[in-house]
Amino acid sequence: VGLLSAAHHWGSSHYARQDTQVMLSRVHPPLTPGRLRVVFYAKKQLATTPTEIVRNDVEPWRVSTRPATLLDLLRHQTAVGGLETVARVTSDLSAAIEKGELVAALDALDQAPAGQRLGFVFQCLGYDTLANHVFKWVARRRHAVRQPLELGVPTREQTTIDRRWNISFNSRRVTALGEFR
């Protein structure tokens, strides 16, 4: 289980999902068994994604860890409601994230652009310790090129550059993230 469904499991329940979001290693069409709708998202590095086994009344299932969930939300931000959704969930989950699980999720995904975006969001939301851990991880991958913060948004709207993270963004939209602190 991933994305907003995993975020809901970890305590971020701002969004009433009408489906369950599941990560697979390949593309798969949605399923609707009975009244349940399952939507699948592909992730090549699924086998290495940090997860936890959750026991319930029916069958145990795997849910991505908090930091793995945040990284996936950033990568799939256009499918989950955009940057505001990611920021709200990040604000909800960040207090419980430990350095070890953060670094494990970054290592498993091994994508500097996702790390750059996550570190920038942590910094914007005031989670400086987490941002510093991500920065150390990204710094070891200094080949990281400038990335837009928001996926699916025209580059011309992302004109401000954060030199620490090498992220381009729309300063008005990032200022609005302050409300999620």
Side-chain angles (χ1 to χ4, degrees):
V1 174
L3 300 173
L4 292 176
S5 297
H8 181 77
H9 168 76
W10 294 117
S12 180
S13 53
H14 297 281
Y15 305 96
R17 298 293 309 173
Q18 300 300 315
D19 56 22
T20 299
Q21 297 172 322
V22 174
M23 302 298 276
L24 291 179
S25 59
R26 57 183 163 65
V27 177
H28 193 285
L31 295 176
T32 309
R35 295 184 347 208
L36 176 68
R37 179 168 164 81
V38 182
V39 179
F40 299 97
Y41 295 86
K43 182 176 183 180
K44 290 180 183 176
Q45 306 87 346
L46 184 65
T48 60
T49 299
T51 60
E52 289 189 21
I53 302 230
V54 176
R55 308 233 181 260
N56 60 32
D57 295 339
V58 181
E59 193 69 29
W61 44 283
R62 290 185 183 276
V63 61
S64 61
T65 62
R66 289 173 186 89
T69 298
L70 295 179
L71 287 163
D72 287 339
L73 286 170
L74 281 164
R75 292 177 57 246
H76 294 279
Q77 59 185 272
T78 56
V80 298
L83 186 60
E84 291 82 7
T85 300
V86 174
R88 188 179 306 272
V89 173
T90 302
S91 184
D92 290 344
L93 303 186
S94 293
I97 293 176
E98 297 175 3
K99 176 188 176 186
E101 69 177 352
L102 176 59
V103 172
L106 288 163
D107 285 342
L109 184 60
D110 196 29
Q111 291 183 1
Q116 289 168 255
R117 289 183 184 102
L118 181 60
F120 181 81
V121 170
F122 280 151
Q123 180 178 294
C124 288
L125 296 175
Y127 294 101
D128 295 332
T129 301
L130 292 174
N132 290 335
H133 293 315
V134 175
F135 185 76
K136 289 175 187 171
W137 185 87
V138 170
R140 292 191 309 261
R141 288 148 183 84
R142 254 308 141 198
H143 64 278
V145 297
R146 181 164 300 139
Q147 297 295 320
L149 176 61
E150 295 182 87
L151 304 175
V153 174
T155 306
R156 68 181 178 281
E157 292 183 23
Q158 302 189 51
T159 57
T160 305
I161 307 297
D162 181 286
R163 301 244 181 259
R164 179 181 191 204
W165 297 104
N166 207 9
I167 290 282
S168 62
F169 61 95
N170 178 318
S171 57
R172 286 190 314 247
R173 300 212 6 101
V174 168
T175 301
L177 296 183
E179 75 180 62
F180 301 114
R181 281 185 174 200

